[in-house]
Amino acid sequence: MCRLVAVKSTTPIQLAHLLTRPRHSIINQAFDSRLRLDLRRPINGDGFGVGWYDSVEDEELGSQPCIFKSITPAWNNANLTRIAEKIKSPLVFGHVRATTAGSLSQDNCHPWSFGKIMFMHNGGIAEFEKIKRTLQASLTDEIFLVPQGNTDSEWAFALYLSKLPDVHASNFSPEILRKAMLETIAHLNKMARDAGIREPSLLNFIVTDGSTIVASRYVSSRTDEAASLYFSSGTTFNEYAPGGHYRMSKSDKRENIIMIASEPLTFEKADWMEIKTNTLVDEHPPDSNYR
Amino acid sequence: MCRLVAVKSTTPIQLAHLLTRPRHSIINQAFDSRLRLDLRRPINGDGFGVGWYDSVEDEELGSQPCIFKSITPAWNNANLTRIAEKIKSPLVFGHVRATTAGSLSQDNCHPWSFGKIMFMHNGGIAEFEKIKRTLQASLTDEIFLVPQGNTDSEWAFALYLSKLPDVHASNFSPEILRKAMLETIAHLNKMARDAGIREPSLLNFIVTDGSTIVASRYVSSRTDEAASLYFSSGTTFNEYAPGGHYRMSKSDKRENIIMIASEPLTFEKADWMEIKTNTLVDEHPPDSNYR
Amino acid sequence: MCRLVAVKSTTPIQLAHLLTRPRHSIINQAFDSRLRLDLRRPINGDGFGVGWYDSVEDEELGSQPCIFKSITPAWNNANLTRIAEKIKSPLVFGHVRATTAGSLSQDNCHPWSFGKIMFMHNGGIAEFEKIKRTLQASLTDEIFLVPQGNTDSEWAFALYLSKLPDVHASNFSPEILRKAMLETIAHLNKMARDAGIREPSLLNFIVTDGSTIVASRYVSSRTDEAASLYFSSGTTFNEYAPGGHYRMSKSDKRENIIMIASEPLTFEKADWMEIKTNTLVDEHPPDSNYR
Amino acid sequence: MCRLVAVKSTTPIQLAHLLTRPRHSIINQAFDSRLRLDLRRPINGDGFGVGWYDSVEDEELGSQPCIFKSITPAWNNANLTRIAEKIKSPLVFGHVRATTAGSLSQDNCHPWSFGKIMFMHNGGIAEFEKIKRTLQASLTDEIFLVPQGNTDSEWAFALYLSKLPDVHASNFSPEILRKAMLETIAHLNKMARDAGIREPSLLNFIVTDGSTIVASRYVSSRTDEAASLYFSSGTTFNEYAPGGHYRMSKSDKRENIIMIASEPLTFEKADWMEIKTNTLVDEHPPDSNYR
């Protein structure tokens, strides 16, 4: 299982505060996982990726996100440490990978992007090899050629792109992003059913167009739990004690920053709301948009 | 364009004599290409791969080749330098990549293997994206799932595997290996024709089962030249002067060692026979098996 | 020999215009070197580094440069391609390495930084192993522990730092930066003389504090040529024809952008002034500050 | 803290049986450490190295070990998986690194070699920066130039080399190897004392010349425990149940294989003898050579 975090902030936030400095960032959790125990494979050292959007619009720079990936572990990556100190962004994705499928290559690291759309996944598509051809057959030629790697997750991204009415649109409404997510999950379910796959798939996807974040916590089973997913929001996210001790502050009613993450990123559990299994959320608190 | 070499020797030969020590090995040619001028991209620094079979049969070790790949340049790879000094093999493939398609990853480096079969390619399948789906559709489920990377070459390897009567056989006759090669090229030609592709494909493939080497020098055009391919054979291949000056010695009539390479690996051009365009060769001198 | 470029611009410039898009950027020169012929080793595929300062001052981000390094070739680096499209900076260093000393590691890639100071080198310190201990003995404990790699260049950087009156200063005058450069070269010369080294050293260094650039073109010999170094300045540096054809435009008298590079980065040779051997330059045209 | 294993076997043993296949190999322990809990940093994902000697003497191949290192995690390294299936050796070192000092580079990965001598370390030299200059000053020029990386461990290796009467000897007696180890530790202790360092150093070193293995379990403190070190020996080491369940078999009195490792490599704890703190062992059971 991987670890992931998506952050949206009204004020651009320095990546270091999200990724490299907090003791419980997804990167540092990768080797000190007190909050979770994955008995199968507790380490997330199979590469990582960080994606972010510009803090200031600049036509020359374009509207696509910037993505930095590496096949060496995130916790010891000098480039990431330097870049995270220097970049501020209003919308950041971070992903630390533990391979379940696909070899160790940057192509296989999350997130992926296409135009303004950025996507990442925590979980796995059960017996993906049985539906890979069907999934590919459902794609247009253009989308079929998008994936460069060899993971179930990147093909799920391609499937998601194929559910957008116009993948080249300059803007996407929250409704369109949500609808495409629901259709992606529904289509994966249908293909699994048709292929006689009974093992449940874990489909925690997070997608954004740079403005809206949409996330699913989903398992294709009535009895199993989905992979964990948490939500937090507040006025600021800052270090309250030296040594990387961060917390979400709620100094007033304003929700300046929201986080969606595979695990709570602080020790203050009260600040983290577990997203219920089989829920779709966006950057509003999950209560407001159950479906 | 890539560079490649295949060597078969009756006596196991130290990899260093083929790869790292000669001044004109495919690795050192990669940055000192006096014998060839590729105006588009004269450097082969996009990763490399070396594959070899055991010098002594050992049931515990199996009959598959060992393959070492890297995404850093071959000319400065400390692992390759050390391994090449330590390994002797009767049948070696070496490949230095210059990307024409596919990103920089070990998955995209040649050679690839499946069981005993090992395969590499120099050239490119023209407008591959137009025939990728058709090619994939022609494969069995098992072979469809073999490729881990994203290059035309690896899919050509999958196509080759699909042309073998029994990909899991413990032995392959030279005829079977040759026939599969001809069928692979014929199938690629048919798919290109059907897709209306007019740009010629460069299909220099080399394949082996650990015993027989089969190589094609082929271009799907009546007017263009294929990518270069040379053949040399002799009694021994050794250093005649310090500083990595190697030559093929022919001390008697015995042909103990044969080499098939994208360029002559020594300055003695007389020792190298250019393989004619659109010819299939194996480890016998090309004269003997034109077809 | 390596390739390097330093750029200072009154308006922050997108890194892509300097590094990845121009046909004659130091990265693309690395495999298409029509303007130079290094017979010993024409390829610069042994890693690269890019360093840049922020386009807007931001106390939280600090005044140190951001540095991105990689051991895979620059011409095929997806991270570099993405980052170069997204970053604008008023002062950029780029360096493509061809190893003469030190193994392939990020620690051995230029540029290096300490606080605000950033440094890179093209050339080599002759018989460095004979003066390594003397050089190290001249350093304070703090500076002695700065180098993380194993190259003559990084130790030259340490020596440079030791020539600054206060390495932790928040500001450095151009005079201080220049004086430290002259002392560094003088000290290297003295150590070489004392060790009886007669082979000339090639000491093209470029250093900056984020405001001033100081560069040397130097060879410790009366007869040999130094490694090449060129200067160009103009109003804008932009693409005048599709396909990465860039040139320096001089639409008015203002010198908005200056470049110092190991080779001309455009085909318009008239735009490039060769810096004379054994000259120190800064971001003013070299005529104005010969010494 | 790192993990390491040294194995000597009268019959060459396939590396896969030691490294990649056992569930409790040092590689698989790296992400499933049921037998040890290092609260500071439980993961060993910062590169690894494997060194081995030839199974058959061959003058052309030389007597130095072959070493394969990588900066990506060992548990997901396709090259290691393939090589380990293909190599048999009578004497193998394996090391998985968790950085305490030195950045992530192959130069900083253990083991290191010089001629026939191979060396690795688990632990750390306390406040190494305070004795680095003194240590370097004690070395001959030749040995001073051996280290290519920047770790306390590699400099300890250089110190060890300097304690050998003739580092270029073609043979080393067990006594010479042991004496050099004791002198290395004594010298490190003296330098620490002279520098006023009070924090204890953890000095578990393992060295070999391809014939004899000498290992220390040492902490420079009367009250602290050294890093763990275990010894096991038997007739064969083999898989008794599918899924990588290995054990040491003792079918007769012969001790065909011995292992020295930072942790027991099997669940049969009775097969593993803890080496006492501040003991030097070689390939004989530790009882026989306490000193």
Side-chain angles (χ1 to χ4, degrees):
Chain A
M1 295 288 272
C2 307
R3 287 172 199 277
L4 49 71
V5 63
V7 179
K8 185 175 170 182
S9 173
T10 53
T11 315
I13 187 166
Q14 195 178 2
L15 268 54
H17 291 310
L18 304 174
L19 300 173
T20 48
R21 293 193 196 168
R23 285 176 74 89
H24 301 98
S25 76
I26 58 164
I27 284 168
N28 295 322
Q29 281 189 357
F31 60 83
D32 181 12
S33 60
R34 302 187 198 176
L35 299 170
R36 180 171 85 161
L37 202 66
D38 181 332
L39 289 175
R40 287 179 306 170
R41 196 152 200 190
I43 287 175
N44 300 69
D46 297 320
F48 70 92
V50 178
W52 65 91
Y53 292 85
D54 297 335
S55 54
V56 180
E57 268 190 56
D58 181 324
E59 204 180 324
E60 202 177 1
L61 302 184
S63 57
Q64 82 284 7
C66 189
I67 296 181
F68 174 64
K69 300 181 175 188
S70 174
I71 56 173
T72 60
W75 63 76
N76 191 13
N77 191 289
N79 284 318
L80 177 64
T81 302
R82 289 185 296 244
I83 289 171
E85 290 294 321
K86 279 297 184 181
I87 301 289
K88 287 187 171 181
S89 168
L91 202 163
V92 181
F93 274 17
H95 190 281
V96 184
R97 190 170 169 241
T99 51
T100 48
S103 46
L104 181 63
S105 75
Q106 287 187 16
D107 289 335
N108 287 344
C109 290
H110 311 222
W112 296 279
S113 68
F114 184 92
K116 297 171 80 167
I117 302 288
M118 183 159 63
F119 180 95
M120 59 184 173
H121 177 204
N122 181 23
I125 301 177
E127 300 180 61
F128 177 64
E129 62 283 1
K130 290 191 183 165
I131 64 165
K132 189 174 184 179
R133 301 186 108 158
T134 313
L135 188 161
Q136 292 182 353
S138 78
L139 305 175
T140 62
D141 284 353
E142 182 188 18
I143 303 298
F144 170 68
L145 294 169
V146 166
Q148 297 295 308
N150 190 37
T151 59
D152 53 348
S153 302
E154 194 181 8
W155 286 107
F157 171 49
L159 186 64
Y160 181 87
L161 292 177
S162 77
K163 301 304 181 192
L164 293 171
D166 175 9
V167 73
H168 296 287
S170 57
N171 283 295
F172 301 88
S173 69
E175 289 67 36
I176 280 177
L177 295 175
R178 264 187 239 121
K179 188 156 171 285
M181 186 75 94
L182 293 171
E183 288 178 18
T184 300
I185 292 172
H187 197 161
L188 287 170
N189 282 342
K190 181 179 184 323
M191 288 187 286
R193 260 194 323 270
D194 291 352
I197 296 169
R198 309 188 64 145
E199 191 193 334
S201 289
L202 294 163
L203 307 179
N204 288 17
F205 298 131
I206 309 189
V207 71
T208 185
D209 63 345
S211 302
T212 305
I213 295 175
V214 174
S216 61
R217 184 181 182 210
Y218 187 81
V219 60
S220 59
S221 155
R222 292 189 192 162
T223 50
D224 289 273
E225 271 289 283
S228 61
L229 196 66
Y230 289 85
F231 181 95
S232 185
S233 63
T235 320
T236 57
F237 182 71
N238 50 19
E239 193 175 19
Y240 67 93
H245 295 278
Y246 278 72
R247 80 174 148 215
M248 187 68 85
S249 301
K250 305 196 182 211
S251 57
D252 57 27
K253 287 283 174 68
R254 279 175 302 160
E255 301 281 331
N256 291 328
I257 181 164
I258 69 105
M259 295 188 175
I260 300 172
S262 50
E263 285 87 16
L265 300 181
T266 65
F267 268 141
E268 280 69 33
K269 289 214 164 185
D271 290 346
W272 293 87
M273 187 182 313
E274 188 174 3
I275 296 172
K276 290 191 186 163
T277 285
N278 295 4
T279 306
L280 204 66
V281 297
D282 57 21
E283 67 264 31
H284 303 292
D287 288 352
S288 65
N289 71 336
Y290 281 163
R291 56 208 62 227
Chain B
M1 295 289 271
C2 306
R3 289 172 197 277
L4 47 71
V5 62
V7 178
K8 185 176 170 182
S9 172
T10 52
T11 315
I13 187 165
Q14 194 177 2
L15 267 54
H17 292 310
L18 304 174
L19 299 173
T20 48
R21 293 192 196 169
R23 286 175 73 87
H24 300 98
S25 77
I26 58 165
I27 283 168
N28 295 321
Q29 281 189 357
F31 60 85
D32 180 13
S33 61
R34 302 189 198 173
L35 299 171
R36 179 170 85 159
L37 203 64
D38 182 332
L39 290 176
R40 288 178 305 169
R41 195 153 199 190
I43 288 177
N44 300 68
D46 297 321
F48 70 92
V50 178
W52 66 91
Y53 292 85
D54 297 336
S55 55
V56 179
E57 266 190 58
D58 180 324
E59 203 181 325
E60 202 177 1
L61 301 184
S63 58
Q64 81 284 8
C66 189
I67 296 181
F68 174 63
K69 300 182 176 188
S70 175
I71 56 173
T72 60
W75 63 77
N76 191 14
N77 191 291
N79 283 320
L80 177 63
T81 301
R82 288 185 297 245
I83 289 171
E85 290 294 320
K86 280 297 185 180
I87 302 287
K88 288 187 170 180
S89 168
L91 202 162
V92 180
F93 274 17
H95 190 282
V96 183
R97 190 169 168 242
T99 51
T100 49
S103 47
L104 181 64
S105 75
Q106 287 187 18
D107 289 335
N108 286 343
C109 290
H110 311 221
W112 296 279
S113 68
F114 184 93
K116 297 171 81 167
I117 302 288
M118 182 159 62
F119 179 95
M120 59 184 171
H121 177 205
N122 181 22
I125 301 176
E127 300 180 62
F128 177 64
E129 63 283 3
K130 290 190 183 165
I131 65 167
K132 190 174 184 179
R133 300 186 109 157
T134 313
L135 189 160
Q136 291 182 353
S138 79
L139 305 175
T140 61
D141 283 353
E142 182 188 18
I143 302 299
F144 170 70
L145 294 170
V146 166
Q148 296 296 308
N150 190 37
T151 60
D152 54 347
S153 302
E154 194 179 8
W155 286 106
F157 170 50
L159 186 63
Y160 181 88
L161 291 177
S162 77
K163 301 304 181 191
L164 293 170
D166 175 8
V167 74
H168 296 287
S170 57
N171 282 294
F172 301 88
S173 70
E175 289 68 34
I176 278 177
L177 295 176
R178 262 188 240 120
K179 187 154 172 286
M181 185 75 93
L182 293 171
E183 288 178 17
T184 299
I185 293 173
H187 197 159
L188 287 170
N189 282 342
K190 180 177 185 322
M191 287 187 287
R193 259 194 323 271
D194 292 352
I197 296 169
R198 308 190 65 145
E199 192 193 332
S201 288
L202 294 163
L203 306 179
N204 289 16
F205 298 131
I206 310 189
V207 71
T208 185
D209 64 344
S211 303
T212 306
I213 293 175
V214 175
S216 61
R217 185 182 181 208
Y218 186 82
V219 60
S220 59
S221 155
R222 292 188 191 162
T223 50
D224 289 273
E225 271 288 285
S228 62
L229 198 66
Y230 291 84
F231 181 95
S232 184
S233 63
T235 321
T236 57
F237 182 71
N238 51 19
E239 194 176 19
Y240 67 93
H245 296 277
Y246 277 73
R247 79 174 149 216
M248 188 68 86
S249 301
K250 306 198 180 208
S251 57
D252 57 26
K253 287 284 174 65
R254 278 174 303 160
E255 302 281 331
N256 291 329
I257 181 165
I258 68 103
M259 294 188 177
I260 299 172
S262 51
E263 285 85 18
L265 299 181
T266 66
F267 268 142
E268 281 68 34
K269 288 215 165 183
D271 289 347
W272 293 88
M273 187 183 314
E274 188 175 3
I275 296 171
K276 291 192 185 160
T277 285
N278 295 4
T279 306
L280 204 67
V281 298
D282 57 20
E283 67 263 33
H284 303 292
D287 288 352
S288 65
N289 71 335
Y290 281 161
R291 59 206 62 226
Chain C
M1 296 287 271
C2 306
R3 288 171 199 277
L4 48 72
V5 63
V7 179
K8 185 174 168 182
S9 173
T10 52
T11 315
I13 187 166
Q14 194 178 2
L15 268 53
H17 291 311
L18 304 174
L19 299 173
T20 48
R21 293 194 196 167
R23 286 176 74 88
H24 301 98
S25 77
I26 57 165
I27 284 168
N28 295 322
Q29 281 190 355
F31 60 83
D32 181 13
S33 61
R34 302 188 197 174
L35 300 171
R36 180 170 85 160
L37 203 64
D38 181 334
L39 289 175
R40 288 178 305 169
R41 196 154 200 189
I43 287 177
N44 301 69
D46 298 321
F48 70 92
V50 179
W52 66 92
Y53 292 85
D54 296 335
S55 55
V56 180
E57 267 189 56
D58 180 325
E59 204 180 323
E60 202 177 1
L61 302 184
S63 57
Q64 81 285 7
C66 189
I67 296 182
F68 174 64
K69 300 181 175 188
S70 175
I71 56 173
T72 60
W75 64 77
N76 191 13
N77 191 291
N79 283 319
L80 178 63
T81 302
R82 288 185 296 244
I83 289 171
E85 290 294 320
K86 279 298 185 181
I87 302 287
K88 288 187 171 182
S89 168
L91 203 163
V92 181
F93 275 18
H95 190 283
V96 184
R97 190 170 170 241
T99 51
T100 48
S103 47
L104 181 64
S105 75
Q106 287 186 17
D107 289 336
N108 287 343
C109 290
H110 311 222
W112 296 279
S113 68
F114 184 93
K116 298 171 80 167
I117 302 288
M118 182 160 64
F119 180 95
M120 58 184 172
H121 177 205
N122 181 23
I125 300 177
E127 301 180 61
F128 176 64
E129 63 282 2
K130 290 191 183 165
I131 64 166
K132 189 174 184 178
R133 300 186 110 157
T134 314
L135 189 160
Q136 291 182 353
S138 79
L139 305 175
T140 62
D141 284 354
E142 182 188 17
I143 303 298
F144 170 69
L145 294 170
V146 166
Q148 297 295 308
N150 190 37
T151 60
D152 53 348
S153 302
E154 195 180 9
W155 286 106
F157 170 51
L159 186 64
Y160 181 88
L161 291 178
S162 77
K163 301 303 181 190
L164 293 171
D166 175 8
V167 74
H168 296 288
S170 58
N171 282 295
F172 301 89
S173 70
E175 289 67 35
I176 279 177
L177 295 176
R178 264 187 239 120
K179 187 154 172 285
M181 185 75 93
L182 293 170
E183 288 178 18
T184 300
I185 293 172
H187 197 160
L188 287 170
N189 282 342
K190 180 178 185 325
M191 287 187 287
R193 262 196 320 271
D194 292 352
I197 297 169
R198 308 189 65 146
E199 191 194 332
S201 288
L202 294 163
L203 307 179
N204 289 16
F205 298 131
I206 309 189
V207 71
T208 186
D209 64 344
S211 303
T212 306
I213 295 175
V214 174
S216 61
R217 185 183 180 207
Y218 187 82
V219 61
S220 59
S221 154
R222 292 189 192 161
T223 50
D224 290 274
E225 271 288 284
S228 62
L229 197 66
Y230 290 84
F231 181 94
S232 184
S233 63
T235 321
T236 57
F237 182 72
N238 51 19
E239 194 175 18
Y240 68 93
H245 295 278
Y246 277 72
R247 80 175 146 214
M248 189 68 86
S249 301
K250 305 196 182 211
S251 57
D252 57 28
K253 286 283 173 67
R254 279 174 303 159
E255 303 281 331
N256 291 329
I257 182 165
I258 68 105
M259 294 188 176
I260 299 172
S262 51
E263 285 87 16
L265 300 181
T266 66
F267 268 141
E268 280 68 34
K269 289 214 165 184
D271 289 346
W272 293 88
M273 187 182 314
E274 188 174 4
I275 295 172
K276 291 191 185 163
T277 285
N278 295 5
T279 307
L280 204 67
V281 297
D282 56 20
E283 66 265 32
H284 303 292
D287 287 352
S288 65
N289 72 335
Y290 280 163
R291 56 208 63 226
Chain D
M1 294 290 271
C2 307
R3 288 171 198 276
L4 48 70
V5 63
V7 179
K8 185 174 170 182
S9 173
T10 52
T11 314
I13 187 166
Q14 195 177 1
L15 267 54
H17 292 310
L18 304 174
L19 299 173
T20 49
R21 293 192 196 169
R23 286 175 74 89
H24 301 97
S25 76
I26 58 165
I27 284 169
N28 295 322
Q29 281 189 355
F31 60 84
D32 181 12
S33 60
R34 302 188 198 175
L35 299 171
R36 180 171 85 161
L37 202 65
D38 181 333
L39 288 175
R40 288 179 307 169
R41 196 154 199 190
I43 287 175
N44 300 68
D46 298 320
F48 71 92
V50 178
W52 65 92
Y53 292 85
D54 297 335
S55 55
V56 180
E57 268 191 57
D58 180 324
E59 203 180 325
E60 202 176 3
L61 301 184
S63 57
Q64 82 285 6
C66 189
I67 295 180
F68 173 64
K69 299 181 175 188
S70 175
I71 56 173
T72 60
W75 63 77
N76 191 13
N77 190 291
N79 283 318
L80 177 64
T81 302
R82 288 185 296 244
I83 289 171
E85 290 294 321
K86 280 297 184 180
I87 302 288
K88 286 187 171 181
S89 168
L91 202 162
V92 181
F93 275 17
H95 190 281
V96 183
R97 191 171 169 242
T99 50
T100 49
S103 47
L104 181 63
S105 75
Q106 288 187 17
D107 289 336
N108 287 344
C109 290
H110 312 221
W112 296 279
S113 68
F114 183 93
K116 298 170 80 166
I117 301 288
M118 183 158 63
F119 180 94
M120 59 184 171
H121 177 205
N122 181 23
I125 301 176
E127 300 180 61
F128 177 64
E129 62 283 2
K130 290 192 183 165
I131 64 166
K132 189 174 184 179
R133 300 186 109 157
T134 313
L135 188 160
Q136 292 183 353
S138 78
L139 305 176
T140 63
D141 283 354
E142 182 188 18
I143 302 298
F144 170 69
L145 294 169
V146 166
Q148 297 295 307
N150 190 38
T151 59
D152 54 347
S153 302
E154 194 180 9
W155 286 107
F157 170 49
L159 187 64
Y160 181 87
L161 292 177
S162 77
K163 301 304 181 192
L164 293 171
D166 175 8
V167 73
H168 296 286
S170 57
N171 282 295
F172 301 89
S173 70
E175 289 68 34
I176 279 177
L177 295 175
R178 262 187 241 120
K179 187 154 171 287
M181 185 74 94
L182 293 171
E183 287 178 19
T184 300
I185 292 172
H187 197 160
L188 287 170
N189 282 341
K190 180 179 185 324
M191 288 187 286
R193 258 192 326 269
D194 292 352
I197 296 170
R198 308 189 65 147
E199 191 193 331
S201 288
L202 294 163
L203 307 179
N204 288 16
F205 298 132
I206 309 189
V207 71
T208 186
D209 63 345
S211 302
T212 305
I213 295 175
V214 174
S216 61
R217 184 182 182 211
Y218 187 82
V219 60
S220 58
S221 155
R222 292 189 191 161
T223 51
D224 290 273
E225 270 289 284
S228 62
L229 197 66
Y230 291 84
F231 181 95
S232 185
S233 63
T235 321
T236 57
F237 183 72
N238 51 18
E239 193 175 19
Y240 67 93
H245 294 278
Y246 278 72
R247 78 174 148 215
M248 188 68 86
S249 301
K250 307 197 180 210
S251 57
D252 57 27
K253 287 284 174 65
R254 279 174 303 160
E255 302 281 331
N256 291 329
I257 182 165
I258 68 104
M259 295 187 176
I260 299 172
S262 51
E263 284 86 17
L265 300 181
T266 65
F267 267 142
E268 280 70 33
K269 289 213 163 184
D271 290 345
W272 294 88
M273 186 181 315
E274 188 175 4
I275 296 172
K276 290 190 186 163
T277 285
N278 295 4
T279 307
L280 205 66
V281 298
D282 57 18
E283 67 263 32
H284 303 292
D287 288 352
S288 64
N289 72 333
Y290 281 162
R291 57 208 62 227

